[in-house]
């Protein structure tokens, strides 16, 4: 399994946001977390990517524990173990979270060079290959404000893929996009599947979720209902 969650719980200001969440995602599997706004799905995605802590349970990514229940405590991965986990998972944010003062290329290679000590020449080469594959290589020296929404999303996808993750997470990938962009996102996700990369999608777009997914997990009020 590329991703394993067991009895994950999360509360905020006394309110239970995630309630005993357990599921698994296999290599090359596309799984959608579907639910209405406020159901807890984006919080779940942030926990899986280590952007939020959990109160209870375990999260394992590519065989490494990000969080592990140990008695009444939850152990959190640190140091080299955490770095290894972060290399195994990529996240495409709903609002892309690109740095406006950096070019497309600089946005993609920033973390690999400064956090993971990837050689700059190799990082640039990998970034250019991804941009070419995503059909935006000609935008490598543009700034985010010079791009369309669909182009910014492709930059965010390239950034998520630069370290060759085992699983890629998408937060509401079809929000505020037209049908043409939605179609291109579906094609990109299916390419990941063919390469045995797992994909986890958080969405309230029922049509898109059903058209692209191998499996759908429905969440309501922080609980898996089906």
């Amino acid at each position: 399994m590329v991703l394993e969650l067991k009895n994950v719980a999360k509360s905020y200001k006394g309110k239970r946001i995630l309630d005993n969440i357990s599921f698994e995602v296999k290599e090359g599997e596309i799984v959608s977390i579907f639910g209405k706004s406020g159901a807890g799905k984006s919080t779940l995605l942030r926990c899986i990517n280590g952007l939020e802590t959990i109160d209870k349970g375990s999260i394992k990514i590519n065989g490494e524990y990000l969080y592990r229940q140990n008695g009444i405590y939850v152990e959190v991965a640190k140091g080299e173990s955490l770095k290894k986990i972060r290399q195994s998972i990529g996240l495409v944010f709903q609002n892309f979270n690109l740095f406006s003062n950096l070019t497309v290329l600089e946005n993609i290679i920033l973390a690999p060079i400064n956090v993971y000590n990837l050689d700059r020449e190799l990082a640039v080469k990998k970034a250019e290959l991804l941009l070419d594959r995503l059909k935006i290589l000609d935008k490598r020296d543009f700034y985010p404000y010079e791009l369309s929404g669909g182009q910014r999303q492709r930059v965010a996808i390239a950034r998520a893929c630069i370290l060759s993750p085992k699983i890629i997470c998408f937060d509401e990938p079809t929000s505020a996009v037209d049908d043409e962009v939605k179609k291109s996102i579906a094609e990109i996700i299916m390419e990941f599947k063919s390469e045995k990369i797992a994909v986890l999608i958080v969405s309230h777009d029922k049509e898109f979720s059903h058209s692209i997914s191998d499996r759908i997990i429905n969440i309501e009020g922080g609980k898996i209902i089906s």
Side-chain angles (χ1 to χ4, degrees):
M1 293 295 171
V2 180
L3 175 66
E4 300 173 66
L5 279 75
K6 185 175 181 181
N7 303 325
V8 171
K10 167 76 176 177
S11 295
Y12 182 70
K13 292 185 178 180
K15 181 181 179 182
R16 182 59 64 91
I17 307 299
L18 300 175
D19 192 355
N20 205 40
I21 299 289
S22 298
F23 66 89
E24 299 175 339
V25 180
K26 298 182 294 185
E27 180 183 80
E29 186 178 25
I30 302 172
V31 176
S32 283
I33 308 291
F34 177 76
K36 296 178 180 178
S37 179
K41 54 191 190 301
S42 288
T43 298
L44 176 60
L45 202 63
R46 290 178 65 82
C47 289
I48 291 169
N49 282 270
L51 301 175
E52 296 269 5
T53 58
I54 64 174
D55 303 326
K56 189 186 81 169
S58 299
I59 299 177
K60 187 189 285 189
I61 298 169
N62 199 35
E64 299 280 337
Y65 279 101
L66 175 60
Y67 300 107
R68 175 161 52 182
Q69 189 75 45
N70 186 359
I72 62 173
Y73 300 104
V74 176
E75 296 178 352
V76 184
K78 297 177 181 177
E80 289 302 313
S81 179
L82 179 59
K83 186 178 288 189
K84 186 177 179 181
I85 290 168
R86 291 197 183 282
Q87 285 181 277
S88 297
I89 187 166
L91 173 61
V92 181
F93 293 92
Q94 180 178 356
N95 296 318
F96 315 134
N97 287 16
L98 300 175
F99 293 102
S100 60
N101 62 321
L102 299 180
T103 65
V104 164
L105 183 66
E106 290 167 340
N107 263 283
I108 297 169
I109 66 174
L110 180 66
I113 291 173
N114 293 289
V115 179
Y116 298 100
N117 300 315
L118 191 65
D119 176 76
R120 181 180 177 85
E121 186 176 344
L122 177 58
V124 169
K125 184 177 180 180
K126 290 185 71 172
E128 288 178 339
L129 286 171
L130 284 166
L131 291 171
D132 186 42
R133 175 181 169 187
L134 293 166
K135 299 179 176 61
I136 51 169
L137 180 57
D138 60 326
K139 306 297 182 184
R140 56 161 281 168
D141 296 319
F142 282 52
Y143 288 89
Y145 69 87
E146 298 177 292
L147 306 177
S148 67
Q151 289 169 339
R152 288 196 298 272
Q153 187 169 50
R154 287 170 183 253
V155 176
I157 291 170
R159 183 178 60 183
C161 293
I162 187 76
L163 294 171
S164 303
K166 300 295 183 182
I167 180 168
I168 298 176
C169 303
F170 288 83
D171 188 4
E172 299 287 1
T174 61
S175 64
V177 299
D178 59 30
D179 289 341
E180 191 63 30
V181 173
K182 191 180 293 190
K183 181 181 176 182
S184 71
I185 294 168
E187 290 171 351
I188 291 166
I189 289 173
M190 292 308 294
E191 282 187 29
F192 291 146
K193 179 180 176 65
S194 70
E195 295 169 5
K196 303 298 183 184
I197 299 171
V199 178
L200 183 66
I201 304 167
V202 156
S203 179
H204 65 271
D205 186 334
K206 192 171 185 178
E207 182 182 354
F208 182 80
S209 297
H210 280 270
S211 69
I212 198 73
S213 306
D214 296 310
R215 183 160 50 96
I216 292 177
I217 296 171
N218 291 286
I219 187 170
E220 185 177 305
K223 295 181 180 181
I224 291 178
I225 57 173
S226 64

